[in-house]
Amino acid sequence: MKVLGILAASVLIAGSLSACSSSSAQSEEFQVVATTTQVTEFTRAVVGDTGTVTGLIQPNQSAHSFDPSAKQLLALSQADAVVINGADLEPWISDALSASNFSGEIIDASTGIELLAAGEAEEDHAAHAAEDEHAHGEGDPHIWTSPLKAQVMVKNIATGLEAVNPADATVMEDNAASYSAQLASLNEWVMANFDQVPVDQRLLVTNHDAFTYFVSEYGITFVGSIIPSFDDNAEPSAAEIDALIALIKQSGAKAVFSEASISPKLAKTIASEAGVKVYSGDNALYSDSLGVTGSDGETYIKATIHNVTMLMNAWGYPVLPLPAELS
């Protein structure tokens, strides 16, 4: 987190705040700021026409390291609420809220969701719950990768925003229910696709460790990641790279998946060394960020459909038709 950048930007917004204080005070528009691209989409789905949602992180930007601009700090200063992913995904948020003099409500979309550590399946979580919290590493903050967890996030967002803006609570509740129904259909479609694939063939190798909830939900074996961390800014050692290549060969995995917001260079090298295909460029998976407008990952639902399509292609099984509500 570039704290100096945030502090400098906070100075820049001070004049803007005083200059527009009278007009903003007169505005009754419901204003919400959201952090990640996924959380921004969930929030917009809930808010609908009842207010304005400003997203901080842009498509293909890292969610782990982020430096808000003066304009974004100004948006925070004027917001009635800020919606965060939570689960320690946004270590920069406290500085941003402080620098912007944010005085609204903070809504944590991860509330009530038990975090899993890397490689930990849901069924194993209860057995590990009583153990030391550091025994299995930090909890994975990428909870949205499971559509079922995304449903919980949407519910948390709706509950929080309804409390902030009770006048539009009924509309937002209906909006959340409609979007959640789409997520339910998405989950059913994903399960139907993966049910075609024998469990021992559902193998995944990615750029970084961001799919814990996805692989846990759908019985996928996570062979390993190039970056052995939840943070996409970390770097693997030569020994870790060699170990991953050996794991890929041993496991029988057919591909290495790059991610849209991460350079594919190392993924291509490792795939070549392991003698498997690499999925990069337009075929890369969407993880930390959604894609730009017009891409396969421009929405959460489209990004998930894209990811499942790439996996099915790599595993050698047909992709089932989409239900009408997802087409």
Side-chain angles (χ1 to χ4, degrees):
M1 176 60 204
K2 301 176 182 177
V3 178
L4 290 179
I6 271 193
L7 292 177
S10 68
V11 174
L12 290 175
I13 70 168
S16 299
L17 285 174
S18 60
C20 68
S21 59
S22 59
S23 60
S24 62
Q26 296 170 359
S27 174
E28 295 182 0
E29 183 179 34
F30 184 45
Q31 298 186 59
V32 183
V33 169
T35 55
T36 71
T37 52
Q38 295 86 357
V39 167
T40 297
E41 176 173 324
F42 300 160
T43 303
R44 284 179 175 148
V46 171
V47 171
D49 296 330
T50 67
T52 299
V53 178
T54 300
L56 295 181
I57 298 173
Q58 301 304 301
N60 293 329
Q61 272 191 319
S62 172
H64 299 274
S65 60
F66 176 71
D67 196 11
S69 66
K71 182 178 180 181
Q72 290 171 322
L73 290 176
L74 181 60
L76 273 172
S77 74
Q78 298 172 339
D80 298 296
V82 60
V83 183
I84 66 173
N85 177 86
D88 295 325
L89 180 70
E90 305 109 327
W92 41 267
I93 192 64
S94 292
D95 288 329
L97 295 176
S98 177
S100 66
N101 293 317
F102 173 76
S103 60
E105 294 296 322
I106 300 172
I107 298 167
D108 185 339
S110 71
T111 300
I113 297 176
E114 291 191 57
L115 302 185
L116 301 180
E120 182 179 22
E122 296 243 21
E123 58 267 23
D124 298 328
H125 186 64
H128 298 323
E131 299 182 19
D132 183 82
E133 65 178 343
H134 301 296
H136 298 279
E138 62 183 341
D140 187 350
H142 304 86
I143 53 181
W144 66 84
T145 56
S146 158
L148 295 182
K149 294 293 187 290
Q151 281 185 302
V152 179
M153 297 177 78
V154 170
K155 182 174 177 57
N156 285 336
I157 293 167
T159 299
L161 292 179
E162 287 162 21
V164 177
N165 182 24
D168 293 314
T170 301
V171 175
M172 289 191 287
E173 183 179 10
D174 290 344
N175 290 344
S178 177
Y179 186 74
S180 186
Q182 286 187 288
L183 294 178
S185 293
L186 177 65
N187 174 63
E188 291 173 3
W189 178 81
V190 176
M191 287 194 300
N193 275 282
F194 290 164
D195 281 348
Q196 301 178 86
V197 185
V199 173
D200 61 357
Q201 294 180 31
R202 302 178 199 172
L203 305 175
L204 179 62
V205 182
T206 60
N207 259 118
H208 87 299
D209 202 347
F211 290 92
T212 300
Y213 303 92
F214 183 81
V215 301
S216 175
E217 202 75 69
Y218 301 116
I220 298 170
T221 297
F222 188 68
V223 177
S225 58
I226 297 168
I227 302 171
S229 170
F230 296 140
D231 187 341
D232 59 11
N233 293 301
E235 300 214 355
S237 66
E240 287 168 332
I241 291 173
D242 289 342
L244 179 59
I245 291 171
L247 269 176
I248 294 170
K249 292 179 177 179
Q250 180 182 359
S251 70
K254 297 181 178 180
V256 172
F257 289 90
S258 182
E259 295 166 49
S261 57
I262 303 176
S263 169
K265 184 176 180 180
L266 196 49
K268 291 179 178 179
T269 299
I270 289 174
S272 177
E273 289 290 327
V276 299
K277 185 174 180 178
V278 64
Y279 281 71
S280 60
D282 290 341
N283 295 327
L285 301 183
Y286 292 96
S287 57
D288 273 18
S289 172
L290 299 179
V292 298
T293 301
S295 70
D296 284 352
E298 66 179 346
T299 70
Y300 173 78
I301 290 174
K302 286 185 177 181
T304 304
I305 291 169
H306 168 88
N307 288 352
V308 170
T309 299
M310 293 303 104
L311 287 172
M312 295 299 287
N313 288 344
W315 295 336
Y317 289 84
V319 180
L320 299 176
L322 287 169
E325 61 270 23
L326 299 180
S327 299

